[in-house]
Amino acid sequence: MLKIQKYFRQNIPVYDEKKLSFNELVYLYYALTGYYLYIRDFKKAYDYACKWVDLFDLYKHMKINYIEMYIKALNVRLVAENKLYKYHEFMQTHRKLVALKRNKEIVHTKNIYLNLFKTIYIHEINRHFMLGEFKSGTRVISKLENELNKMIGVLDKNTILIFYYKIGCLYFGSSNFKTAIKWLNLIINEPDTTLREDIHSFARILRLICYFELGDNEMIEMNIRATYRFLLKKQGFVKYQRYIMKFLREMQNVISVNEVIEKFKTLKVQMERLQKDRFERRAFIYFDIISYLESKIENKSIQDKVKEKAINKIKSL
């Protein structure tokens, strides 16, 4: 991370924003938001995304000429607002994005249509994640699934994998573990695992937890071995994944309720430590394991626990 920060600082030229042209500002904000998202400084990513969107609002006539850049600007702002739990601003930005789909001044080329489709739907799913409203989120999927199936041949593989994983997580959050497995299997059964190895790895971890929730010890044992081999091959065997797999294997021999709760508490302590480790904390982007563990310890549904925490975060801003 330090090498990336040093490289970026050394290669970005000295500039005065007040003296830059519209075109120069567009690409400056593009570079800065991408950089700050990459290093996970969401506050600065948000600040520059706001400048980027405000620039287009100031030069309204340029939105049509730079429509793909405008979509990128809205997308980055939505990502940052989501991460910072700025829910009301998120909704305003999302409305701007949806309005582009109905704007008759825009020539909806195939590329623009695809960009709008994936950006609108991904952030619609993110909205439900932000609020912890997984069950209502799954109701969006029936409409999305029909459109997604029509566009499998034209969407890039990266976007398809992201959709599959987010949909799987939605069903997991709504405690519909069988349907979650169905979507996760679409990732796991993909023969090419070189693209988005991160998603392939976490799809396998999440599927293991689904089998645990379904009480399917046979599938846990079978898939722990397969997942172990996959992660070793991909050199992605981080502590986060190792702790979860060890926990699931040990839980197969646990009988008493008190012992079950203690196992959950132990894993929660381990995960809270990992969350403070700059090399490990990236794993928590893919699955909110701590909220899941808290739901088990407190005997609440995953949805109720995530929603409770989300409401508190939004109110505190």
Side-chain angles (χ1 to χ4, degrees):
M1 189 67 76
L2 291 175
K3 287 182 180 179
I4 294 167
Q5 291 171 318
K6 183 179 178 182
Y7 179 83
F8 186 82
R9 285 195 298 267
Q10 288 178 341
N11 285 276
I12 192 165
V14 177
Y15 60 87
D16 181 350
E17 282 187 54
K18 294 178 182 178
K19 295 180 180 179
L20 297 181
S21 66
F22 173 85
N23 190 59
E24 289 169 329
L25 286 171
V26 164
Y27 285 96
L28 172 66
Y29 297 149
Y30 179 38
L32 288 169
T33 54
Y35 167 68
Y36 285 118
L37 277 185
Y38 187 82
I39 66 170
R40 298 186 56 73
D41 187 337
F42 297 118
K43 178 62 175 65
K44 285 191 177 178
Y46 167 76
D47 291 340
Y48 281 107
C50 287
K51 283 189 172 189
W52 200 4
V53 173
D54 290 346
L55 181 67
F56 280 107
D57 287 340
L58 183 62
Y59 296 92
K60 289 183 171 59
H61 61 287
M62 300 301 283
K63 288 181 183 178
I64 306 301
N65 296 337
Y66 286 78
I67 185 61
E68 291 192 52
M69 271 296 188
Y70 183 50
I71 294 170
K72 287 180 188 292
L74 293 172
N75 177 58
V76 173
R77 183 163 171 170
L78 284 164
V79 170
E81 287 166 346
N82 179 19
K83 297 297 183 183
L84 296 171
Y85 278 85
K86 293 180 177 289
Y87 177 71
H88 300 295
E89 291 184 34
F90 177 93
M91 291 305 298
Q92 291 174 356
T93 308
H94 195 260
R95 281 193 285 271
K96 285 185 177 182
L97 185 66
V98 173
L100 295 179
K101 195 174 180 181
R102 299 191 294 267
N103 191 328
K104 294 181 180 179
E105 294 181 49
I106 298 171
V107 178
H108 285 80
T109 63
K110 178 182 174 182
N111 199 41
I112 290 170
Y113 178 77
L114 288 174
N115 280 337
L116 284 173
F117 168 81
K118 63 186 181 184
T119 310
I120 289 169
Y121 269 114
I122 281 173
H123 288 297
E124 179 61 20
I125 291 173
N126 286 344
R127 180 176 76 83
H128 288 88
F129 279 127
M130 197 190 307
L131 295 175
E133 293 181 345
F134 300 111
K135 288 182 180 177
S136 62
T138 60
R139 290 195 283 271
V140 176
I141 302 308
S142 57
K143 181 183 177 183
L144 168 60
E145 187 173 2
N146 291 332
E147 291 192 53
L148 190 58
N149 287 335
K150 290 176 186 175
M151 289 196 277
I152 287 294
V154 290
L155 279 171
D156 61 281
K157 184 63 71 175
N158 178 59
T159 298
I160 293 169
L161 291 175
I162 290 171
F163 269 122
Y164 288 166
Y165 188 74
K166 284 184 175 288
I167 293 169
C169 287
L170 265 183
Y171 280 106
F172 182 92
S174 64
S175 300
N176 188 337
F177 303 110
K178 287 184 178 179
T179 306
I181 289 171
K182 169 196 147 184
W183 286 95
L184 295 170
N185 279 341
L186 292 174
I187 301 169
I188 294 164
N189 295 333
E190 170 62 42
D192 181 9
T193 60
T194 57
L195 178 67
R196 295 307 302 262
E197 290 182 1
D198 53 346
I199 290 179
H200 278 279
S201 297
F202 282 94
R204 285 162 170 77
I205 292 294
L206 193 59
R207 185 175 67 171
L208 280 173
I209 299 173
C210 287
Y211 286 132
F212 168 74
E213 287 291 340
L214 294 169
D216 196 333
N217 288 340
E218 184 179 343
M219 291 302 289
I220 291 172
E221 188 60 36
M222 184 189 305
N223 283 281
I224 278 181
R225 291 173 187 163
T227 302
Y228 186 91
R229 288 194 298 269
F230 177 86
L231 294 174
L232 281 180
K233 185 179 177 182
K234 297 298 180 183
Q235 297 181 333
F237 207 55
V238 295
K239 288 180 182 178
Y240 177 99
Q241 297 159 334
R242 190 163 67 244
Y243 285 162
I244 292 173
M245 291 170 69
K246 182 175 182 289
F247 164 82
L248 291 170
R249 178 162 275 161
E250 289 176 350
M251 287 294 281
Q252 291 176 275
N253 301 315
V254 173
I255 299 173
S256 74
V257 174
N258 288 339
E259 195 177 353
V260 168
I261 297 300
E262 285 307 310
K263 288 286 186 184
F264 279 118
K265 287 180 178 179
T266 300
L267 182 58
K268 179 173 177 281
V269 170
Q270 290 174 328
M271 288 296 166
E272 286 173 335
R273 286 176 188 155
L274 286 186
Q275 204 171 28
K276 297 172 184 176
D277 185 325
R278 64 192 182 95
F279 296 108
E280 295 279 348
R281 63 189 178 200
R282 185 174 177 80
F284 293 86
I285 300 170
Y286 300 93
F287 174 53
D288 185 359
I289 183 71
I290 291 176
S291 291
Y292 166 71
L293 294 170
E294 287 172 345
S295 74
K296 304 302 289 186
I297 293 166
E298 297 170 24
N299 195 27
K300 295 179 179 178
S301 71
I302 308 166
Q303 174 167 282
D304 287 346
K305 186 62 198 177
V306 174
K307 186 182 287 189
E308 174 189 308
K309 292 170 79 172
I311 290 170
N312 289 336
K313 284 180 182 178
I314 292 168
K315 281 182 178 179
S316 67
L317 296 176

